[in-house]
């Protein structure tokens, strides 16, 4: 049975490092594979999503040497991930990929399918990208439209809307593209296709999404210029192998930050967490709510800011109003922010968040439905929700919809609730955070 029973925790205490950053790990494998010469990736995330990217690159003819670094925490049932490792990749340049012998399975990973759509659009061979049941319902039109404008042969199921996606790439021309949605996955797909295009490609975002691609591609030798919401890339530049040290994942740390804030006698330190400002909107939101969070020992790791985070429980939290422009910097923290809102005094409103409906699950619906079962008072809107706090949560039988961030957020809710909560579909945590329940156990001991 893929379930766990959790009950109220007295405190969260201790020090730990979160799993390596998922977004940065995906990019490190793809960019290394497109580079000439050797790249070494340290602290690579070995989780289901990033293993999907690694396997895809192998299918495209890239040799990847994996040096596994013990100890490996035991995995939740059904998991096939590990934790972190070192990868050595010897690429052959942007034209060094081979036509895959079979359909490429991107599993549950939106980042894999979207970024690879960009890469494969630049390559003059036939390829098909697909994924699991959840991924096959996620929108692909947002990458297909600009990639077609660049000249790629690309089509998909359901009037070019959903995976599988079939691509015959090559002969791309540069475009100037204004993106209708703020999405780092779409921006990255166009930037990668832009590497193959004749001329300079420019992308204009409606709001700033995470900028790991811009930072890392530059360190591999790409010519990228960022000016506010505009990003330009010069086509035809060769990438050169380099070293990447992946920081800890802020989105994984977020579950424990909120756990510590909501469980009274808590005191935790999370070490080596990426604090890229395009990712840490949750910190600003929590501080505004009255949380006790300290960020210190700020340093630089492979072009990304990293810090240690200390947080203590017990502070009274107040409701907050989150509007559209704040969403991109906390997009993946929506589920756990909903849990915090149930314990904050007053009406928390999160609007302009319609993107959450097309994530690994419809996260607005998933969180509203499941938190209501635990006693939360929630009103759902097309583009978000409002949560009236503070409400005592009670144990219930909870569905994760096999969405990793929903499973982990509801696990934290279970530690705050009276009674016992059973959460179904917990092996989904292996998508991004193998070892999540081991850390949870250690902190609550
Ligand atoms: C990601 C970008 C975000 C985020 C996802 C990872 C990335 O998606 O939700 O978990 O690595 O670029 P969108 O770009 O679609 O908003």
């Amino acid at each position: 049975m893929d379930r766990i029973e959790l009950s109220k925790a007295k405190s969260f205490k201790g020090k730990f490092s979160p799993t390596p950053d998922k977004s940065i790990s995906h990019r490190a494998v793809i960019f290394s594979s497109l580079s000439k010469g050797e790249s070494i990736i340290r602290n690579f995330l070995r989780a289901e999503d990033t293993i999907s990217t690694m396997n895809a690159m192998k299918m495209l003819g890239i040799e990847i040497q994996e040096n596994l670094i013990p100890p490996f925490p035991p995995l939740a049932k059904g998991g096939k991930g590990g934790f972190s490792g070192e990868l050595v990749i010897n690429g052959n340049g942007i034209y060094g990929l081979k036509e895959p012998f079979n359909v490429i399975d991107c599993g549950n990973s939106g980042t894999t399918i979207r970024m690879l759509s960009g890469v494969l659009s630049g390559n003059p061979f036939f390829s098909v990208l697909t994924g699991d049941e959840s991924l096959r319902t996620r929108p692909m039109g947002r990458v297909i439209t600009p990639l077609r404008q660049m000249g790629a042969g690309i089509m998909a199921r359901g009037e070019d809307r959903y995976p599988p996606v079939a691509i015959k790439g090559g002969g791309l021309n540069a475009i100037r593209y204004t993106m209708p949605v703020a999405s780092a996955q779409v921006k990255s797909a166009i930037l990668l296709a832009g590497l193959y295009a004749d001329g300079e490609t420019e992308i204009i975002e409606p709001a700033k999404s995470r900028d790991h691609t811009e930072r890392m591609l530059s360190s591999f030798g790409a010519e990228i210029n960022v000016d506010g919401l505009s990003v330009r890339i010069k086509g035809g530049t060769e990438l050169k192998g380099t070293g990447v040290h992946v920081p800890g994942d802020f989105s994984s740390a977020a579950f424990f930050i909120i756990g510590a804030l909501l469980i009274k006698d808590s005191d935790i330190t999370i070490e080596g967490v990426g604090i890229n400002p395009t990712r840490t909107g949750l910190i600003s939101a929590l501080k505004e709510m009255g949380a006790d969070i300290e960020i210190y020992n700020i340093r630089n790791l492979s072009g990304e800011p990293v810090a240690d985070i200390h947080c203590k429980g017990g502070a009274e939290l107040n409701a907050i109003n989150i509007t559209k422009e704040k969403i991109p910097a906390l997009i993946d923290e929506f589920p756990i922010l909903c849990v915090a809102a149930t314990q904050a005094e007053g009406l928390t409103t999160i609007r302009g968040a319609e993107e959450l409906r097309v994530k690994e699950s419809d996260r607005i619906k998933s969180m509203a439905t499941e938190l209501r079962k635990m006693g939360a008072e929630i009103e759902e809107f097309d583009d978000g929700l409002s949560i009236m706090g503070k409400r005592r949560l009670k144990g219930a039988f909870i569905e994760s919809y096999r969405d990793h961030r929903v499973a982990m957020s509801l696990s934290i809710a279970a530690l705050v609730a009276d009674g016992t909560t059973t959460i179904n579909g917990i092996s989904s945590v292996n998508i991004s955070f193998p070892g999540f329940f081991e850390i949870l156990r250690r902190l609550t001991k």
Side-chain angles (χ1 to χ4, degrees):
M1 264 190 312
D2 190 18
R3 287 176 190 162
I4 195 166
E5 278 192 359
L6 295 167
S7 48
K8 207 178 190 116
K10 286 202 192 71
S11 68
F12 257 13
K13 287 226 158 80
K15 212 185 241 188
F16 69 99
S17 301
T19 39
D21 190 278
K22 179 158 86 74
S23 287
I24 295 176
S25 294
H26 282 298
R27 287 160 172 79
V29 175
I30 296 174
F31 304 168
S32 300
S33 301
L34 297 179
S35 296
K36 277 228 156 92
E38 184 177 270
S39 295
I40 298 180
I41 308 168
R42 299 211 160 82
N43 199 34
F44 169 74
L45 172 68
R46 295 199 76 253
E48 288 181 7
D49 262 14
T50 43
I51 287 174
S52 291
T53 293
M54 202 166 67
N55 287 341
M57 297 324 297
K58 286 181 184 166
M59 284 185 74
L60 291 164
I62 301 298
E63 269 178 41
I64 301 180
Q65 183 192 323
E66 285 183 78
N67 303 325
L68 303 184
I69 298 168
F72 311 115
L75 292 172
K77 202 176 161 225
K80 60 180 180 198
F83 191 73
S84 81
E86 181 185 280
L87 302 185
V88 181
I89 300 182
N90 265 290
N92 235 332
I94 60 171
Y95 291 105
L97 304 180
K98 288 200 195 95
E99 183 171 74
F101 191 54
N102 202 350
V103 168
I104 295 175
D105 184 359
C106 302
N108 192 249
S109 177
T111 307
T112 309
I113 200 164
R114 302 226 174 87
M115 288 184 63
L116 286 186
S117 296
V119 171
L120 294 170
S121 288
N123 279 277
F125 53 68
F126 177 73
S127 53
V128 180
L129 298 166
T130 189
D132 70 8
E133 222 174 292
S134 154
L135 194 69
R136 279 181 274 125
T137 66
R138 298 188 59 189
M140 288 302 291
R142 53 182 63 192
V143 287
I144 291 176
T145 302
L147 293 173
R148 247 189 211 156
Q149 274 180 31
M150 295 177 87
I154 177 165
M155 54 173 79
R157 184 179 70 83
E159 310 277 337
D160 295 327
R161 287 208 303 259
Y162 306 110
V165 180
I167 303 172
K168 177 83 198 291
L172 301 187
N173 51 270
I175 56 167
R176 182 169 194 271
Y177 187 71
T178 302
M179 288 172 37
V181 277
S183 161
Q185 294 176 355
V186 177
K187 174 175 62 177
S188 303
I190 306 170
L191 285 172
L192 286 165
L195 269 180
Y196 294 87
D198 191 15
E200 189 180 66
T201 295
E202 183 178 9
I203 303 154
I204 299 117
E205 294 192 88
K208 186 96 182 151
S209 65
R210 64 191 65 189
D211 64 357
H212 305 305
T213 295
E214 295 89 310
R215 288 172 188 251
M216 201 193 292
L217 256 185
S218 302
S219 75
F220 278 89
E223 278 187 50
I224 296 195
N225 286 296
V226 180
D227 182 8
L229 295 174
S230 148
V231 189
R232 287 177 290 130
I233 187 163
K234 220 169 128 197
T237 316
E238 269 298 350
L239 303 184
K240 246 183 80 199
T242 187
V244 178
H245 195 134
V246 181
D249 198 324
F250 178 81
S251 299
S252 295
F255 304 108
F256 297 105
I257 294 174
I258 288 184
L261 296 176
L262 300 187
I263 304 168
K264 209 166 152 232
D265 292 320
S266 298
D267 190 328
I268 64 164
T269 301
I270 316 177
E271 295 176 313
V273 188
I275 53 156
N276 181 316
T278 60
R279 296 282 299 279
T280 50
L282 180 77
I283 294 285
S284 325
L286 291 172
K287 283 192 169 162
E288 199 182 323
M289 291 168 87
D292 190 356
I293 304 176
E294 189 195 349
I295 295 184
Y296 62 104
N297 196 11
I298 299 175
R299 59 244 190 222
N300 181 298
L301 197 60
S302 298
E304 291 279 347
V306 169
D308 298 336
I309 300 178
H310 176 226
C311 41
K312 276 180 159 173
E316 288 299 325
L317 298 182
N318 295 310
I320 192 176
N321 185 19
I322 305 272
T323 44
K324 193 173 178 71
E325 70 285 357
K326 290 193 183 146
I327 298 293
L330 49 75
I331 186 90
D332 290 342
E333 286 63 68
F334 170 86
I336 191 64
L337 182 57
C338 290
V339 176
T342 67
Q343 303 307 303
E345 204 55 54
L347 187 72
T348 290
T349 311
I350 309 175
R351 301 297 294 260
E354 56 276 9
E355 269 299 296
L356 271 307
R357 295 219 179 261
V358 291
K359 292 292 177 188
E360 287 84 328
S361 73
D362 173 345
R363 286 183 173 160
I364 296 174
K365 189 165 164 222
S366 303
M367 292 310 293
T369 310
E370 302 309 308
L371 283 174
R372 270 188 201 127
K373 286 187 196 164
M374 299 179 81
E377 196 180 318
I378 301 185
E379 190 181 346
E380 200 181 316
F381 311 110
D382 287 348
D383 67 341
L385 42 68
S386 65
I387 300 180
M388 185 52 122
K390 174 176 184 177
R391 290 287 177 270
R392 262 188 108 90
L393 298 183
K394 57 178 194 309
F397 188 93
I398 293 299
E399 180 52 56
S400 72
Y401 306 91
R402 297 212 48 75
D403 179 332
H404 54 131
R405 298 199 200 282
V406 170
M408 291 187 273
S409 300
L410 293 169
S411 299
I412 299 297
L415 300 183
V416 180
D418 297 329
T420 302
T421 301
T422 304
I423 302 174
N424 191 38
I426 53 151
S427 61
S428 58
V429 306
N430 291 321
I431 296 287
S432 64
F433 200 162
F436 171 78
F437 288 108
E438 281 72 25
I439 295 182
L440 205 67
R441 235 162 262 146
R442 225 170 67 208
L443 294 179
T444 50
K445 234 182 210 163

